[in-house]
Amino acid sequence: MDIRINELKKVITSPIIIGLLVLFIVFNFVIIFQNSYFKDDLKVLTKIVDKFGYKIDDEMEVRFGEYYDQELKKLNRIVNEKESKNYNSVSKFYKDNPYGIEDIYDKEEMRFIRELEILEAYYYKIGEIDEVYSKIDIMEKAEYEITKYRLSGKAADTVRNQYKNFSNRFHQLINNKEHKNLFFIGQVHRMHSLLFRSLFKAIIFEIIILVVLITAYLVNYEFDNNTEAIAYTTKRGRNLILDKLYIAIVSNILTATIILITSLGLYFMIFNYSGLWNVPISSYFNAEYNFPYMSWWHMSFIQYLISSIGLIYASILLFTGITFIIATDIKNTYIVFFVFAIIFGLFLIVPNIAPRNSNTVFLGGFTPFFLIMNPFVWFMESGAFTTFKYYELTTVGIWLVLLLIFGSVAVKKFKKQDI
Amino acid sequence: MRIIINELKKIFNIKFIILLVLINIIMYFLFIEFEITNFPNGRPALDIYNMLVEMEDSYGEFMDGEEFDDFKVKYEEVKREADKYIQSREDFKRAGINNYDEFASIDITNKELDRLHDDVFFEKEIDVFWELPWREEYIRVYENRKEIMMEKSSNEKQETRIKDILENDIETSVFSDVIFFNYNNLIKPVVTTILLSVMFMITPIYLIDNKNRINYLQYTSKIGRKIFKKKIIAGLLASFIVVTIQFICFFSLYATNNTFMFLNSNINSIYNTIISWYDLTFIQYISLSIIGTYILAFVFTLTSMLVSTMGQNYITVIGIQLPIALFTFMVLLKHLIYYMTSIRYPKYFLGLSYIILILISTIYMIIRWRREKKIDIVY
């Protein structure tokens, strides 16, 4: 036990690891603050949800419509006083005032008009949901993906099959009315991208860098400090490598948790999600581009967030394992770092060589390296290579087994090798 | 000299060379290959490129008024070709389209007509139809070039510069952003790869000796602490070799993009996205970015050495280099290599930043050398 605590001390007292950790957290804060300028716009939705709830049904639509008309009347009252004009929408009003309205209206009125504009956007968006979803054809999307990546033969059939499965899910989603829920307008605010693409990707890469450094540092510590002759010469000493692995996992999880808690903590402090935690992630309002986000399962925002964080922790285990195996073989931390980077790159480029007409082309997608590239479409329809229902679980599962096997081989080899 | 050669041998040991090659291959396939194999990328780019080659062929480096008239004549010719094609097709006749003008103003909300439109563009990919809109665009831009150029200025100095260009008719240069954008998109990952390679090769230079306590032996030998200086020379030489080899590889790949006919074109063309402070030709611009890269590589060699003397183990070195590298690749290169000498920056911004970088790294190195002379070997 004592050995383990001492190993942990090596990590938490290392100025470099602490320094990098602080630097990464600052970097994440910059990402969040850079995008915080529209946080007031988001409050409009919080108000709407407070009044009507997030579920869109007939009753809610009627009540929301009445409320919108009422607010529009208020707007016309204000406008009438100053310009004696009438508008039937805020966008028309803005069109008539292209050079700003600062001179005519005071601050309070401007805020009201701005909020009503956002309210109006929600109002019109609710109206278009059915039309948008009636036009979505999942199989058409499959064909689009196939031509996009020039797939043919068996590979194309696999994509078609997967999308056929997804098509069932799509109909289920419509029956469940998962898409009919209010959320921040994706096309305007891109909150899903901000959180799961920009922030998550930054966090993941930071965590990987720390994982590789910490694991390689611990495993190779004795060799870097010329103490291997003392530490490993006895039979008991060789078992130290397992303690090191154990502490590497613990400290990697620890640093990852620090990064996640600080960054996500600040994110949710700045952007107010109250009332929206249980909105399905497949809501039409969450859609950012012409194809909405659609998850394989009925997941609420909070479930999606937790699953994603879980997946991050799972990949920490995988990357620790990969680094551990490299580090037991290569005794130089510097080279371990670059070898890891090279392996990372190879796993991203080599799949491109696979023939486009056989199923081998999909194998390259089932790696932790490929998995972490697009955190914003985890558990979702996500293109030809990753739209498999259990893609994330399979990848983690297969690699966990592989790494356990190779890891124990590496440990065995380590125990017998010459120092 | 013998020491320098031995130091070079240490830097270029076989393990590091293999890793370096692998790093370069991966960087190439991840970030560079696309712009090399896909140039010109897609349809309008290809048509613009072809048109530009033809322009260069018949007008040379600049297109003056007379040549512009000829350009318009050519436009009419191509248009007649399109007319002929349209008239040769029965389905166009049935749809009531008899010439290109009618085709261009087609109402694509009409399903029948939209199908014809798509057929010409995307199914059959008829060249002239892709070409014509761009010929029109180039004519429009040329005719309104004075106003379009002036619109690009946002302060007085930029305005004088643009007026200067207009006075000398440099804006009529036959050059386009299709070529320029491609080059800039390439040079950034190339410089990133180069700097990464330099960092990778140079960083262990002092560290290995410090770690193995070889420096104690070195200090007591006749050459003594001067070994520090020799290592600097060896490091600079090594990075010079690495950069040169990488540039040779890159430019032999870039040559396959076939842009050599534009090497003598001025980059301050109305069809280009950049307005430069100086009258640079494309080849001069390329040379400038090469010089810039060499300077950056040397600066990075020195900083890597400095980092190398600071850390006692590898993790420290990586930990310090990492933020430096990330900052350089994400922020610094954007301003120092991408769109060099653009009037978006103050006129002397580029020169000054390079001088500051050189000064900082050399001064630090001198300070470090002074300390090395006095440093106590008993820690």
Side-chain angles (χ1 to χ4, degrees), chain A residues 158-225:
Chain A
T158 309
V159 174
R160 275 185 207 111
N161 276 333
Q162 289 309 314
Y163 272 87
K164 211 174 273 166
N165 284 346
F166 192 78
S167 180
N168 293 336
R169 162 65 188 148
F170 174 68
H171 294 301
Q172 183 205 345
L173 183 150
I174 290 187
N175 285 338
N176 285 348
K177 299 208 180 344
E178 274 174 59
H179 59 310
K180 286 197 162 184
N181 284 291
L182 286 174
F183 202 69
F184 304 120
I185 298 184
Q187 281 99 336
V188 183
H189 301 307
R190 303 207 188 284
M191 294 301 275
H192 189 80
S193 281
L194 176 62
L195 177 58
F196 291 106
R197 193 186 223 162
S198 311
L199 193 60
F200 259 55
K201 216 168 168 183
I203 290 175
I204 290 173
F205 273 95
E206 290 158 2
I207 288 177
I208 291 179
I209 289 173
L210 286 171
V211 162
V212 176
L213 283 182
I214 291 174
T215 313
Y217 174 62
L218 278 179
V219 174
N220 281 335
Y221 184 87
E222 314 301 336
F223 295 96
D224 276 349
N225 289 285

Side-chain angles (χ1 to χ4, degrees), chain A residues 209 217 224 332 334 338 342, chain B residues 26 200 203 211 314-315 322:
Chain A
I209 289 173
Y217 174 62
D224 276 349
N332 182 326
Y334 188 70
F338 282 96
I342 288 169
Chain B
I26 285 166
F200 169 68
T203 306
K211 242 171 67 64
Y314 286 118
I315 181 167
L322 212 69

Side-chain angles (χ1 to χ4, degrees), chain B residues 95-114:
Chain B
I97 295 166
N98 300 312
N99 57 40
Y100 179 73
D101 285 328
E102 283 175 20
F103 176 81
S105 56
I106 222 167
D107 173 25
I108 50 167
T109 51
N110 181 330
K111 262 210 171 129
E112 180 67 21
L113 294 177
D114 187 41

Side-chain angles (χ1 to χ4, degrees), chain A residues 34-50:
Chain A
Q34 262 179 352
N35 292 289
S36 64
Y37 59 91
F38 57 74
K39 65 174 195 287
D40 286 336
D41 289 356
L42 302 180
K43 283 183 192 146
V44 179
L45 178 66
T46 318
K47 270 190 212 162
I48 297 174
V49 172
D50 273 351

Side-chain angles (χ1 to χ4, degrees), chain B residues 206 225 228-229 232 236 302-303 305-306 309 357-375:
Chain B
Y206 294 106
R225 296 175 192 231
F228 185 84
K229 273 180 166 173
I232 297 180
L236 289 174
L302 293 181
T303 32
M305 288 181 187
L306 208 69
T309 60
L357 280 178
I358 295 171
L359 278 182
I360 290 178
S361 51
T362 14
I363 288 172
Y364 258 103
M365 215 57 201
I366 291 169
I367 293 173
R368 188 64 188 72
W369 165 234
R370 292 241 170 97
R371 244 183 66 202
E372 181 79 15
K373 277 201 286 196
K374 282 180 255 164
I375 203 165

